[in-house]
Amino acid sequence: MAQAVADAIDTKSHLLVQAGTGTGKSLAYLVPAVQHAVDTGIPAVVATATLALQAQIVDRDMPRLADAVAPLLGRRPTYALVKGRRNYLCAHKVEGGFPDDDADSLMSLGMVDQQASRLGAEVVRLREWAEVTESGDRDELVPGVSERAWRQVSVSAQECLGSRCPMVAECFVERSRAAAADVDVIVTNHSFMAIDAFEGRQMLPEHDVLVIDEGHELVDRVTSTITDEVTPGMIRAAAKRAGRQADASSTMEEAADLLESVLEPAPEGRLTGIPDSLAMALGRVRDTARTVQSELKPQQGEEVDAGRQVARAAVDEVFENACRILEERELDVVWLSRDPRRGPVLRVAPMSVAMLVRDKVFQERTVVLTSATLELGGSFDAVAGTIGLRGEGAPRWRGLDVGSPFDYPKQGIAYVAQHLPPPGRDGLATQTLDEIEALVRAAGGRTLGLFSSMRAAKEATEAMRERFADAEGEIAFLCQGEDQISTLVRQFARDPRVCLFGTLSLWQGVDVPGSSCQLVIIDRIPFPRPDDPLASARSQAIARMGGNGFMAVSATHAALRLAQGAGRLIRRSDDRGVVAFLDNRMMTARYAGFLQRSLPPFWPTSDRAMVLSALARLDEIADPPLPVAEPALRGLTGALAAAVGDTARGADAVAPVPADRPVAEAPPPPESSRTAVTHGHAWTEQEDEELRDGIELGLTLDELSESMELPTEVLAARLAGLGLEAGKGATLTFD
């Protein structure tokens, strides 16, 4: 993989590379990225989807890599972590530089009282932390604080005063970005990278190499970044912030009332057109916001204060979002949903971001996209199409699967609880809860529960706490939302008798090797919700073009999630365990083979007694859990403060160059994970075995085509290569 990345950088071409969990993906792209940065003086950017991976790169991978290559380079490579403004303390706001225009605000000294409330205590803690932190990075604060409290000490990019701020010299964001300007590798997230590329804000330094890790998440993260919304509440909040600074602010409140009266009786779901009543209400919102914008605009030479800047940012957002919905752009999808706290929410998002990503991300730089799950059905085409790498005018790219270092059939079991009833919409069935209880008891805890909804995760957590009340102190249950994800994952990793249940955030980015995670439970196939407006719009568009919308959208979404979720189990070569699917459609549905082929090749079974026995044996012989690293203070670049303060390992320290510089031998050519390619389809050993099994069963060519979901000409060519003939005699075969 490292050689492929280096080749892509040298030839200025794009690379999609699938590498299984534990391959060392980050080192494989960081080594050539560092080499390129040192050779050219131009930094490389690494973007991830999850905070967990960002922390892994900055806290573990880059420090080790920097130590290893420093003797070869004559200096230690440098690196920095860059995030959006909302992730940092605002020094000006902490000092009271922004108005207390929110009734919930507790920043005024008279109201900050340890005994006032939990919120008050959190704000006091934030102010104390602000005195000692060097980075101002929210992730440094453990345990964390509520979003409501964090808003009291942070600002959005739109609210920031920028260079006009009286405390710009003390600004954590500006200092961290200045420190990052001269490093070799910059680590950020998908959303920050997308905003930098799409809006041209130049928040990242000029770069010609971009690595996108967790690449399977790119489309969803980019879509989320450019999704906008309008609610009556946000309009009223903007009007309130404008307050006495704009005479027309009261007209915005009236427009909010009108919009609310239109949205309240309207049904939830996608809007295929903007009804006249809604168009009129949104037009009123747009026009009143434009009037207030004019009043808030500072006169030439007038100094802009923080209160006016916050008001302008809020009104600008209302105006721009209302305009976008009214434009009814060709690829935009508009839908109405209801939030228990905020009421009706009108949202707008693009049906596809493919061309946007092609034009803004893949131009003028080399892009390496990597993940453990980029291939579906043996091809990169599905993922490539969603990011603009297919069709006329698509840039040149290469796809590579480097395989996995793990022996999945010997290390893990894929268990389908075939006896359970099909999942329903009315919560978890009693039989399903019984199955969870039996599996957890056999495993002695050590369980990561991945659920398709927060409701199901909470329901399972409460049910297990009741059922295990007799074993209090032996097996405990944590649920996502009870603390920060990173804190919960550390608790889970530290104690093998702790089980962690949750939803989307736990399906990926959770790295718990060792004996603390020997059972992964997946409650149901994670299809998009049937009423998901974006998924349904994409499915309908594909169907109109003659494609299979369900397989292209819903099944693909589920396959990616299942592969990521199942990948939580085996993180090292000595890990052992079970992935339990509590959804019998994994065996019975017509699309089951497609989903199964997206999973690591575990040993498959539906034998409940055997699985319970295996989990009990693993519990008996389990090693102690591996040590868990605790969070540490960070420096301005996001690097651990210990490394920053260590003059021997500081960014400017020059490592001694040995007289005989070690030079590694050329690596042997990697073993290909492909056995053949026919008509553009890359075959794996697993698929070959599946094909042989089908021949032994006497399946015809058409039956093989339906079973393996491959064209007959692809199958016929491979059969000829293997010397086999259809009719004369890889899905997982569950016993």
Side-chain angles (χ1 to χ4, degrees):
M1 178 176 171
Q3 293 215 332
V5 172
D7 182 66
I9 293 173
D10 290 343
T11 59
K12 296 181 170 57
S13 59
H14 305 304
L15 175 68
L16 273 61
V17 55
Q18 176 167 288
T21 301
T23 307
K25 288 189 290 293
S26 53
L27 292 177
Y29 59 68
L30 286 171
V31 169
V34 166
Q35 181 179 14
H36 174 75
V38 171
D39 288 346
T40 64
I42 303 173
V45 173
V46 176
T48 77
T50 62
L51 293 173
L53 183 54
Q54 288 175 39
Q56 174 191 313
I57 293 171
V58 173
D59 297 349
R60 191 169 70 190
D61 297 335
M62 273 305 302
R64 290 191 300 168
L65 172 60
D67 287 342
V69 302
L72 303 176
L73 298 177
R75 69 171 177 85
R76 196 167 187 270
T78 54
Y79 51 94
L81 181 63
V82 176
K83 303 179 183 179
R85 198 168 291 272
R86 269 290 186 199
N87 292 282
Y88 298 91
L89 284 172
C90 171
H92 190 35
K93 196 164 189 177
V94 170
E95 292 299 317
F98 280 74
D100 295 334
D101 57 350
D102 186 341
D104 294 331
S105 178
L106 294 178
M107 288 310 297
S108 62
L109 288 174
M111 293 184 66
V112 177
D113 183 346
Q114 286 267 22
Q115 308 302 319
S117 63
R118 176 187 171 189
L119 181 62
E122 286 183 324
V123 174
V124 168
R125 186 163 155 252
L126 282 167
R127 292 179 69 108
E128 293 172 346
W129 174 62
E131 296 295 322
V132 297
T133 178
E134 183 181 352
S135 70
D137 184 343
R138 182 178 183 177
D139 289 329
E140 181 187 301
L141 188 65
V142 178
V145 296
S146 65
E147 184 63 27
R148 189 177 168 198
W150 185 252
R151 285 201 306 268
Q152 310 301 325
V153 295
S154 65
V155 296
S156 67
Q158 292 75 23
E159 293 169 344
C160 175
L161 296 177
S163 60
R164 295 167 298 184
C165 177
M167 298 189 69
V168 67
E170 291 84 17
C171 177
F172 291 111
V173 177
E174 297 303 323
R175 290 165 62 205
S176 70
R177 292 182 185 174
D182 298 320
V183 300
D184 299 311
V185 176
I186 297 166
V187 182
T188 187
N189 57 59
H190 289 180
S191 297
F192 192 89
M193 178 275 297
I195 293 171
D196 178 74
F198 297 165
E199 301 183 10
R201 294 192 199 169
Q202 297 183 329
M203 300 181 295
L204 292 171
E206 288 291 326
H207 57 280
D208 58 359
V209 172
L210 170 64
V211 178
I212 302 175
D213 204 340
E214 300 175 310
H216 62 280
E217 276 290 304
L218 179 64
V219 169
D220 283 349
R221 298 300 171 114
V222 168
T223 301
S224 177
T225 299
I226 54 180
T227 295
D228 291 321
E229 66 181 32
V230 172
T231 73
M234 71 181 283
I235 300 168
R236 294 189 182 104
K240 182 179 178 182
R241 287 190 171 95
R244 289 189 295 272
Q245 301 179 82
D247 295 334
S249 60
S250 60
T251 63
M252 279 189 69
E253 295 187 9
E254 293 167 3
D257 294 339
L258 176 61
L259 180 64
E260 190 169 51
S261 69
V262 173
L263 296 181
E264 280 293 353
E268 289 187 272
R270 183 185 174 193
L271 303 178
T272 53
I274 305 296
D276 291 343
S277 58
L278 179 56
M280 183 184 71
L282 284 171
R284 181 80 60 84
V285 170
R286 176 197 59 200
D287 296 343
T288 56
R290 182 191 289 126
T291 302
V292 174
Q293 278 180 317
S294 299
E295 292 191 54
L296 291 175
K297 188 175 181 180
Q299 299 299 316
Q300 190 169 2
E302 181 183 355
E303 185 175 334
V304 179
D305 64 15
R308 177 162 293 206
Q309 184 69 19
V310 169
R312 285 186 66 194
V315 175
D316 286 350
E317 183 180 14
V318 169
F319 174 76
E320 291 164 6
N321 294 0
C323 286
R324 178 180 174 184
I325 295 173
L326 285 168
E327 285 176 18
E328 298 188 69
R329 300 173 189 171
E330 182 181 358
L331 287 179
D332 268 354
V333 178
V334 179
W335 71 97
L336 176 65
S337 60
R338 280 186 167 72
D339 184 278
R341 184 174 57 86
R342 299 190 297 158
V345 181
L346 197 59
R347 289 190 172 93
V348 58
M351 184 189 306
S352 169
V353 295
M355 298 309 294
L356 187 62
V357 172
R358 176 196 288 188
D359 294 341
K360 300 294 186 180
V361 175
F362 283 91
Q363 296 296 328
E364 300 179 358
R365 72 188 106 188
T366 295
V367 178
V368 175
L369 194 85
T370 184
S371 167
T373 48
L374 287 181
E375 280 189 303
L376 295 173
S379 171
F380 289 96
D381 287 350
V383 170
T386 63
I387 55 177
L389 295 184
R390 296 184 67 190
E392 186 178 352
R396 186 165 59 93
W397 62 279
R398 174 190 174 202
L400 173 69
D401 180 358
V402 298
S404 168
F406 301 141
D407 189 348
Y408 283 110
K410 292 184 178 179
Q411 291 185 245
I413 296 172
Y415 164 58
V416 173
Q418 191 177 9
H419 60 283
L420 293 180
R425 296 186 178 183
D426 301 324
L428 298 172
T430 302
Q431 300 98 309
T432 301
L433 292 172
D434 292 342
E435 188 76 5
I436 294 173
E437 179 185 359
L439 290 166
V440 171
R441 286 193 187 278
R446 311 178 190 276
T447 302
L448 178 65
L450 304 177
F451 294 83
S452 54
S453 69
M454 272 308 301
R455 186 181 73 168
K458 290 177 179 177
E459 181 184 352
T461 302
E462 292 306 317
M464 292 306 108
R465 283 171 176 166
E466 291 178 10
R467 291 173 180 233
F468 282 80
D470 59 327
E472 188 172 355
E474 296 181 23
I475 296 180
F477 295 86
L478 302 174
C479 187
Q480 181 181 340
E482 294 175 347
D483 206 327
Q484 287 181 276
I485 290 290
S486 56
T487 303
L488 293 172
V489 171
R490 281 196 298 273
Q491 289 179 258
F492 171 58
R494 193 181 294 118
D495 187 347
R497 299 306 173 193
V498 168
C499 302
L500 175 58
F501 290 177
T503 184
L504 185 60
S505 297
L506 298 185
W507 284 75
Q508 58 190 23
V510 173
D511 185 16
V512 180
S515 62
S516 291
C517 183
Q518 294 188 160
L519 171 62
V520 174
I521 293 176
I522 296 177
D523 72 326
R524 65 190 298 162
I525 298 173
F527 290 122
R529 287 176 47 181
D531 58 352
D532 182 306
L534 276 178
S536 61
R538 289 166 179 163
S539 294
Q540 292 166 15
I542 291 169
R544 283 196 299 270
M545 293 185 289
N548 186 327
F550 171 79
M551 292 302 296
V553 178
S554 297
T556 296
H557 177 278
L560 286 170
R561 289 282 177 264
L562 285 171
Q564 284 291 316
R568 299 309 98 201
L569 181 68
I570 304 299
R571 313 298 296 180
R572 306 196 323 174
S573 58
D574 56 354
D575 281 347
R576 301 289 186 275
V578 173
V579 179
F581 301 94
L582 310 186
D583 188 337
N584 59 23
R585 292 176 295 176
M586 285 294 296
M587 290 177 61
T588 61
R590 61 180 173 81
Y591 47 79
F594 176 77
L595 298 180
Q596 292 167 15
R597 284 195 297 274
S598 300
L599 297 173
F602 297 118
W603 189 78
T605 186
S606 58
D607 186 334
R608 184 174 189 263
M610 186 275 292
V611 166
L612 295 177
S613 175
L615 286 170
R617 286 198 305 275
L618 287 174
D619 181 41
E620 290 173 5
I621 64 174
D623 292 328
L626 297 173
V628 178
E630 295 299 325
L633 295 176
R634 296 187 181 278
L636 282 177
T637 62
L640 296 180
V644 173
D646 185 347
T647 55
R649 296 183 57 199
D652 298 324
V654 177
V657 181
D660 298 320
R661 288 168 55 136
V663 179
E665 295 180 3
E671 292 185 12
S672 173
S673 61
R674 296 294 176 235
T675 57
V677 177
T678 61
H679 293 275
H681 177 76
W683 287 83
T684 64
E685 291 183 5
Q686 183 183 351
E687 287 178 320
D688 284 348
E689 190 63 32
E690 183 180 345
L691 191 59
R692 292 189 181 95
D693 289 344
I695 295 300
E696 290 179 6
L697 292 171
L699 298 184
T700 67
L701 190 61
D702 287 339
E703 288 172 333
L704 285 169
S705 176
E706 182 178 356
S707 170
M708 299 186 70
E709 298 177 348
L710 289 172
T712 54
E713 61 269 20
V714 171
L715 293 163
R718 185 57 183 147
L719 286 171
L722 293 172
L724 301 174
E725 189 174 348
K728 296 183 179 180
T731 55
L732 301 175
T733 304
F734 290 90
D735 299 323

